[in-house]
Amino acid sequence: MKPIISPSLLSADFLHLADDIEMINRSDADWLHIDIMDGVFVPNLSFGFPILEAIRPICKKPLDVHLMIVEPMKFVDRLAELGVHMMNVHYEASPHLHRSLAAIRKAGMKSGVTLNPHTPVEALTDV
């Protein structure tokens, strides 16, 4: 199985996002990874919906969105409306993980689960 390459927009030059996205469009990358942080679930802030909405029209790669936020399920419909390909939620921020993953898939996106470093991978056995 071929590995999926999904470079992170966090490593882009923020003053030239359009140029860096165009470089990714021309590359062999499969997806574009977007980290959305709220400053609560994780201490950092990153891209929010205004940036995601601004880059969506110019990005030709499927968007792989990683939500590092407290209530990720509040945004399923909004991400689906933006045409997001893959929505990743944190195990630690999803008290009803089965329902969360089902809702993401029902909205037409691929679902993914991310673990904080201290969480054992065995926590995902049920899903």
Side-chain angles (χ1 to χ4, degrees), residues 79-112:
L79 291 171
E81 288 168 9
L82 285 170
V84 166
H85 177 72
M86 172 91 167
M87 179 178 168
N88 294 278
V89 296
H90 270 266
Y91 170 85
E92 301 81 6
S94 303
H96 305 286
L97 189 58
H98 286 90
R99 281 189 266 167
S100 297
L101 298 175
I104 293 166
R105 290 189 297 269
K106 184 178 180 186
M109 296 177 284
K110 290 185 178 287
S111 62

Side-chain angles (χ1 to χ4, degrees), residues 28-100:
D28 289 333
D30 300 295
W31 301 347
L32 176 60
H33 186 84
I34 311 287
D35 289 301
I36 296 181
M37 304 173 196
D38 64 4
V40 177
F41 183 72
V42 293
N44 298 2
L45 287 172
S46 69
F47 306 110
F49 283 94
I51 298 295
L52 189 56
E53 290 166 355
I55 66 167
R56 186 65 195 120
I58 64 169
C59 184
K60 306 298 182 224
K61 302 290 181 172
L63 294 178
D64 167 26
V65 177
H66 174 197
L67 297 177
M68 290 180 261
I69 63 176
V70 174
E71 296 183 62
M73 298 317 296
K74 289 176 24 178
F75 302 103
V76 171
D77 292 336
R78 192 164 181 196
L79 291 171
E81 288 168 9
L82 285 170
V84 166
H85 177 72
M86 172 91 167
M87 179 178 168
N88 294 278
V89 296
H90 270 266
Y91 170 85
E92 301 81 6
S94 303
H96 305 286
L97 189 58
H98 286 90
R99 281 189 266 167
S100 297

